[in-house]
Coordinates of all heavy atoms in Angstrom, one line a residue:
G1 N 57.9 -51.5 31.7 CA 58.4 -51.1 30.3 C 59.9 -51.0 30.4 O 60.6 -51.3 31.4
P2 N 60.5 -50.4 29.3 CA 62.0 -50.2 29.3 C 62.5 -49.2 30.2 O 61.7 -48.3 30.7 CB 62.2 -49.7 27.8 CG 60.9 -49.2 27.4 CD 59.8 -49.9 28.1
S3 N 63.8 -49.3 30.5 CA 64.5 -48.4 31.4 C 64.8 -47.1 30.7 O 64.9 -47.1 29.4 CB 65.7 -49.0 32.0 OG 66.2 -48.2 33.0
R4 N 65.1 -46.1 31.5 CA 65.4 -44.7 30.9 C 66.9 -44.7 30.4 O 67.2 -44.0 29.6 CB 65.1 -43.7 31.9 CG 65.5 -42.3 31.6 CD 65.4 -41.4 32.8 NE 66.3 -41.8 33.8 CZ 66.9 -40.9 34.6 NH1 66.6 -39.7 34.6 NH2 67.7 -41.3 35.6
D5 N 67.7 -45.5 31.1 CA 69.2 -45.3 31.0 C 69.9 -46.7 30.8 O 70.1 -47.4 31.8 CB 69.7 -44.6 32.2 CG 71.2 -44.3 32.1 OD1 71.8 -44.8 31.3 OD2 71.7 -43.5 33.0
E6 N 70.2 -47.0 29.6 CA 70.7 -48.3 29.3 C 72.1 -48.5 29.9 O 72.6 -49.5 30.3 CB 70.8 -48.6 27.8 CG 70.6 -50.1 27.5 CD 70.1 -50.3 26.1 OE1 69.4 -49.5 25.5 OE2 70.5 -51.4 25.6
S7 N 72.9 -47.4 30.0 CA 74.3 -47.5 30.6 C 74.2 -47.8 32.1 O 75.0 -48.5 32.6 CB 75.1 -46.3 30.2 OG 74.6 -45.1 31.0
S8 N 73.3 -47.1 32.8 CA 73.2 -47.4 34.2 C 72.7 -48.9 34.5 O 73.1 -49.5 35.4 CB 72.2 -46.5 34.9 OG 70.8 -46.8 34.8
L9 N 72.0 -49.4 33.5 CA 71.5 -50.8 33.6 C 72.7 -51.8 33.4 O 72.9 -52.7 34.2 CB 70.5 -51.0 32.5 CG 69.7 -52.3 32.5 CD1 69.0 -52.5 33.8 CD2 68.7 -52.2 31.4
A10 N 73.6 -51.4 32.5 CA 74.8 -52.3 32.2 C 75.7 -52.2 33.4 O 76.2 -53.3 33.9 CB 75.5 -51.8 31.0
T11 N 75.9 -51.0 34.0 CA 76.8 -50.9 35.2 C 76.2 -51.6 36.4 O 77.0 -52.4 37.1 CB 76.9 -49.4 35.5 OG1 77.4 -48.6 34.4 CG2 77.8 -49.1 36.7
A12 N 74.9 -51.5 36.6 CA 74.3 -52.2 37.7 C 74.4 -53.7 37.6 O 74.6 -54.4 38.6 CB 72.8 -51.8 37.8
M13 N 74.3 -54.2 36.3 CA 74.4 -55.7 36.1 C 75.8 -56.2 36.5 O 75.9 -57.3 37.0 CB 74.0 -56.1 34.7 CG 72.6 -55.8 34.5 SD 72.0 -56.8 33.1 CE 70.2 -56.3 33.1
L14 N 76.8 -55.4 36.2 CA 78.2 -55.7 36.6 C 78.3 -55.7 38.1 O 79.0 -56.6 38.7 CB 79.2 -54.7 36.0 CG 79.3 -54.9 34.4 CD1 80.2 -53.8 33.9 CD2 79.9 -56.2 34.1
E15 N 77.7 -54.7 38.8 CA 77.7 -54.6 40.2 C 77.1 -55.9 40.8 O 77.6 -56.4 41.8 CB 76.9 -53.5 40.8 CG 77.6 -52.2 40.9 CD 76.8 -51.1 41.5 OE1 76.7 -51.1 42.8 OE2 76.2 -50.3 40.8
F16 N 75.9 -56.3 40.3 CA 75.2 -57.5 40.8 C 76.1 -58.8 40.6 O 76.2 -59.6 41.5 CB 73.9 -57.7 40.0 CG 72.7 -57.1 40.7 CD1 72.7 -55.8 41.3 CD2 71.6 -57.9 40.9 CE1 71.7 -55.3 41.9 CE2 70.5 -57.4 41.6 CZ 70.5 -56.1 42.1
K17 N 76.8 -58.8 39.5 CA 77.7 -60.0 39.2 C 78.8 -60.0 40.2 O 79.1 -61.0 40.8 CB 78.2 -59.9 37.8 CG 79.0 -61.2 37.3 CD 79.1 -61.2 35.8 CE 80.0 -62.3 35.3 NZ 79.7 -63.6 35.9
A18 N 79.4 -58.8 40.5 CA 80.6 -58.7 41.4 C 80.1 -59.1 42.8 O 80.9 -59.7 43.6 CB 81.1 -57.3 41.3
A19 N 78.9 -58.7 43.2 CA 78.4 -59.0 44.5 C 77.7 -60.3 44.7 O 77.2 -60.7 45.7 CB 77.4 -57.8 45.0
D20 N 77.7 -61.1 43.6 CA 77.1 -62.4 43.5 C 75.6 -62.3 43.9 O 75.1 -63.1 44.8 CB 77.9 -63.4 44.4 CG 77.6 -64.8 44.1 OD1 77.2 -65.1 42.9 OD2 77.7 -65.7 45.0
I21 N 74.9 -61.4 43.3 CA 73.4 -61.3 43.5 C 72.7 -61.8 42.3 O 72.9 -61.4 41.2 CB 73.0 -59.8 43.7 CG1 73.8 -59.2 44.9 CG2 71.6 -59.6 43.9 CD1 73.7 -57.6 45.0
G22 N 71.9 -62.8 42.6 CA 71.0 -63.4 41.5 C 69.8 -62.5 41.3 O 69.3 -61.9 42.2
F23 N 69.3 -62.3 40.1 CA 68.2 -61.4 39.8 C 67.4 -61.9 38.7 O 67.8 -62.6 37.8 CB 68.6 -60.0 39.7 CG 69.3 -59.8 38.4 CD1 68.6 -59.2 37.3 CD2 70.6 -60.0 38.2 CE1 69.2 -59.0 36.1 CE2 71.3 -59.7 37.0 CZ 70.5 -59.2 35.9
G24 N 66.1 -61.4 38.7 CA 65.2 -61.6 37.6 C 64.5 -60.3 37.3 O 64.3 -59.5 38.3
V25 N 64.0 -60.1 36.1 CA 63.2 -59.0 35.8 C 61.9 -59.5 35.2 O 62.0 -60.3 34.2 CB 63.9 -58.1 34.8 CG1 63.0 -56.9 34.4 CG2 65.2 -57.5 35.3
I26 N 60.8 -59.1 35.7 CA 59.5 -59.5 35.2 C 58.9 -58.2 34.6 O 58.6 -57.2 35.3 CB 58.6 -60.0 36.4 CG1 59.2 -61.3 36.9 CG2 57.2 -60.3 35.8 CD1 58.6 -61.8 38.2
A27 N 58.8 -58.2 33.3 CA 58.3 -57.1 32.5 C 56.8 -57.3 32.1 O 56.5 -58.2 31.5 CB 59.2 -56.9 31.3

């Protein structure tokens, strides 16, 4: 289901982009 903290999600996505980590989310 949804995450508790949308701002930590946005920050983490930027970290992933900076570190060149590809990802997927299966909900």
Side-chain angles (χ1 to χ4, degrees):
S3 189
R4 174 187 68 145
D5 183 347
E6 215 163 324
S7 68
S8 81
L9 193 54
T11 303
M13 290 200 179
L14 292 172
E15 271 186 83
F16 264 49
K17 190 166 174 47
D20 200 24
I21 301 167
F23 72 96
V25 177
I26 298 172

